[in-house]
Amino acid sequence: MELTPGPFCAARLTRSAGVLTYVVLLLAAVLLWSAPLPAAADGGADAALTTALNRLSHADFSAKAAAVDQLEKVSHPRLLPVLHALLEGNLCYRKSDRKVVIVHDVDDGYGMTDAVTAKDLGATGRRKVRRITINNEIRTALRNAIARLSLSSSDPAVRLKAVREMLDDMSPQVAAALRQRRKQETDADVREAIDVGLALAGTNSADAAQRLAAVKALSGKLNPAVRNRLAQMLNTGSDGKPLEADAGVRAAAKASIAAIDRKAEFYSVVQTGFFGLSLGSVLLLAGIGLAITFGVMGVINMAHGEMMMLGAYTTYVVQLLMPQHIGSSLFVAVPAAFLVSGLAGVVIERGVIRFLYGRPLETLLATFGISLVLQQLVRTIFSPLNRSVQTPDWMSGSLHINSALSLTYNRAYIVVFALLVFAALLLVLKKTSLGLKVRAVSQNREMAKAMGVRTGWVDAMTFGLGSGIAGIAGVALSQLTNVGPNLGQSYIIDSFMVVVFGGVGNLWGTLVGALSLGVFNKFLEPWSGAVLSKILVLVLIILFIQKRPRGLFPQKGRAAEG
C-alpha cells in the first residue's frame, strides 16, 4: 500500500522546511561573523610593517633607531628581506608619495620592489627616490636584529651564521636570546657556537669564579671575537691597572690566548700547504706538456706559455658563446682548449721546428719569435686589455673548516683536475699505440725508425699533445687570474724549473717537482716576499743541479745520452 500525505500534512511539512532553512541560514551567518578574516589579519601585519617603515624615512637617526626596534617586533614574512635591504643600502622611499621600496640597479636608474608586498613597481630615475641612510649604531642594531630573527630559521646553516654574527656584540639581551635558543637547539655546530657566545658573556660576570670558568671554556676557540675579548681582559686601564682584577683569571686568559695562537698557527700552515698544492697543480699542468715534448724531441719550446694563453682565451670565447650556461661552459672549454692549442702545436712543429732539429739554439730563438707573434695576434684580436673569465657557481665560494681555515673550491678543483690530467696522460703513454711509439722514440729514435715507426709523425703528435695539455693548463689558470696576452710568460720559467728539477721527460719527476716547488714557494713567500722567494727557489735549483744534473728522476734512453 502506498502512503501519500494529505493536504494538512503537506502544509506542516512546508512550514517545517521553512523554519529549518531559516535556522541553517542563521547558524551560517553566526559562523561567518565569528570566523577570523585572513585578509584583515594580513592587512594588520602589512599596516604594522608600513608604519614602522614610514618612521625610517625621517632624517633623525634616533627616530630611525626606534623604528628598527619597532620593526623587530613586527611579525611579517617580508621583515628579514627589508632589514637586509636597509643594512645593504638598498632601502629607499619615493619622493612623490614617500612609499618605502627596495631598489636594484638597472640601465637607466633603479628597479623598484614594494618593501611590504614584494610587488614589482617598475623602474624609476635615480633622482626620484631617496636612500634611507643609517649610521654605525643602527648598523650594529640591524645586524643583531637580523641575527636574532635568524635564530628561529629551520636551516642550521642560517642559525649558525646568526650566532657567529652575534659574538661580536655579546650584550645581556643577546646572551638571553642565546640561552633561550640553547634549550631547543638540535644541531651540534650551532650548540657549540652558542656555548662560545655564552662563555663570552660569562667573561663580563661580576663573579671571578664565573669569569675564570668562562675563560677556560674559551681556550683554543678560534673565533676572532674570542681572542679579542681575552686580549681586552689583559689590557690596562687609564689608571695603569689591569682591566681584569683577578690574577687567576688573567693567567687563564694568557693560557687561553696561547692555545688559540698555537691552533691558529697550525691551521695557517695547513692553509699555506693547500695554497702550495694548488700552485704546484698549476705548475704540473704547465710543465707536464713541456716535459714530454723536451723528453721526446729535445726541443726547448719558448712558445709553450703561449699555448697556455691560447687555452685561456679559448675558455673566454666559449663563455661568450654560452652566456646562459656558465656552469657547464668549462666542460666545453677543456676539450676545446686542448684542440686549439694542440692544433697550434702541430702547425708550429710541422711549419718551423722540424727544420731545426739538432740546432737547439736556433730552435729556442725560433720558438721565442713564435711566442711574440702569438702575443701580438691575441692583442690584435682581443685587445691588450685583460679579460675576466667568470667562475661557475659550483666552483665559487670556500669550504669553511673553522675561523682560521677556509679552503677555496676553485683551487681544490684545480688540484683534483691536475691529478686527473696526469693520470690520463699516464694511461695514454702506457696503454695506447701513440704512447708506445712515443716511448720508443724517446729511448732510441734510430732503432724506432728502423722498426718502421714514423718518427716525424710521432714528433708532430707529441708536440701537439704537449701543447694541448698546456691549453688545458690555461683553462685552469683562467679560474685563478685574469686572461691576458702575457699570461704564459708568468709561468714559462717556472715550467722549465719543474722539468729540470724533476728530470727531463719523466712524468713522475714532473709531478714531484711541481708539487714540491709549489709548496716550497708558498712557505717562502710570507717572510721573503713573492719575488725574492722565486729567486731563492731558482738559486736552490741551480745548486741542486750541480749535484744531480739529470734531476730527481733522470730519464733513460736518448734524452739521457744527450
Side-chain angles (χ1 to χ4, degrees), residues 190-497:
V190 181
R191 285 201 306 269
E192 182 181 358
I194 291 176
D195 290 338
V196 171
L198 296 178
L200 282 172
T203 60
N204 297 319
S205 174
D207 186 1
Q210 291 187 11
R211 295 199 304 274
L212 180 61
V215 168
K216 290 181 178 179
L218 294 174
S219 178
K221 302 300 181 183
L222 294 171
N223 192 287
V226 172
R227 197 189 187 287
N228 292 339
R229 174 57 185 146
L230 293 175
Q232 184 183 13
M233 296 176 71
L234 298 177
N235 290 339
T236 56
S238 58
D239 56 357
K241 295 181 180 180
L243 296 179
E244 173 52 56
D246 189 89
V249 177
R250 290 200 304 271
K254 290 181 181 178
S256 296
I257 290 177
I260 292 172
D261 290 342
R262 285 194 300 271
K263 291 186 69 174
E265 185 177 356
F266 169 75
Y267 285 116
S268 176
V269 171
V270 173
Q271 190 166 46
T272 303
F274 172 72
F275 286 153
L277 285 177
S278 65
L279 174 61
S281 299
V282 174
L283 295 179
L284 173 63
L285 290 173
I288 195 171
L290 195 63
I292 61 174
T293 302
F294 194 17
V296 174
M297 307 168 64
V299 173
I300 301 176
N301 180 20
M302 294 300 294
H304 189 75
E306 277 55 52
M307 300 299 103
M308 298 167 59
M309 177 195 68
L310 291 179
Y313 272 103
T314 301
T315 308
Y316 171 71
V317 172
V318 167
Q319 287 197 352
L320 289 181
L321 299 176
M322 303 175 61
Q324 305 301 324
H325 305 280
I326 298 298
S328 57
S329 63
L330 285 185
F331 298 102
V332 178
V334 169
F338 180 83
L339 290 175
V340 170
S341 298
L343 289 175
V346 171
V347 170
I348 292 172
E349 196 279 334
R350 290 287 87 188
V352 178
I353 294 178
R354 73 188 180 105
F355 301 108
L356 301 175
Y357 286 133
R359 291 178 284 178
L361 180 60
E362 294 182 20
T363 304
L364 186 149
L365 293 175
T367 53
F368 180 71
I370 292 172
S371 72
L372 297 179
V373 171
L374 291 175
Q375 290 180 40
Q376 188 57 46
L377 180 64
V378 166
R379 289 189 180 95
T380 303
I381 297 175
F382 296 100
S383 85
L385 301 178
N386 288 340
R387 301 296 180 178
S388 178
V389 174
Q390 187 174 346
T391 301
D393 291 339
W394 52 273
M395 286 186 67
S396 303
S398 59
L399 177 62
H400 186 83
I401 307 297
N402 52 50
S403 299
L405 179 60
S406 182
L407 307 179
T408 54
Y409 287 129
N410 60 345
R411 292 181 179 274
Y413 278 117
I414 287 174
V415 172
V416 175
F417 178 66
L419 294 178
L420 290 176
V421 172
F422 179 80
L425 185 59
L426 278 181
L427 289 176
V428 169
L429 294 180
K430 298 291 185 181
K431 302 295 183 181
T432 65
S433 175
L434 174 63
L436 177 63
K437 294 175 181 177
V438 167
R439 286 183 286 128
V441 172
S442 66
Q443 293 175 10
N444 194 319
R445 175 179 290 269
E446 297 304 324
M447 182 61 71
K449 184 182 295 187
M451 296 296 294
V453 175
R454 297 169 57 190
T455 56
W457 178 85
V458 172
D459 288 338
M461 292 299 101
T462 302
F463 203 90
L465 179 62
S467 300
I469 295 175
I472 294 178
V475 178
L477 279 175
S478 69
Q479 302 304 305
L480 298 177
T481 184
N482 289 328
V483 177
N486 298 322
L487 175 68
Q489 294 299 310
S490 303
Y491 290 91
I492 184 64
I493 302 300
D494 292 332
S495 301
F496 277 111
M497 286 196 299

Side-chain angles (χ1 to χ4, degrees), residues 502-521:
V504 176
N506 190 296
L507 294 186
W508 287 106
T510 304
L511 173 66
V512 175
L515 297 182
S516 300
L517 290 180
V519 172
F520 188 64
N521 192 65

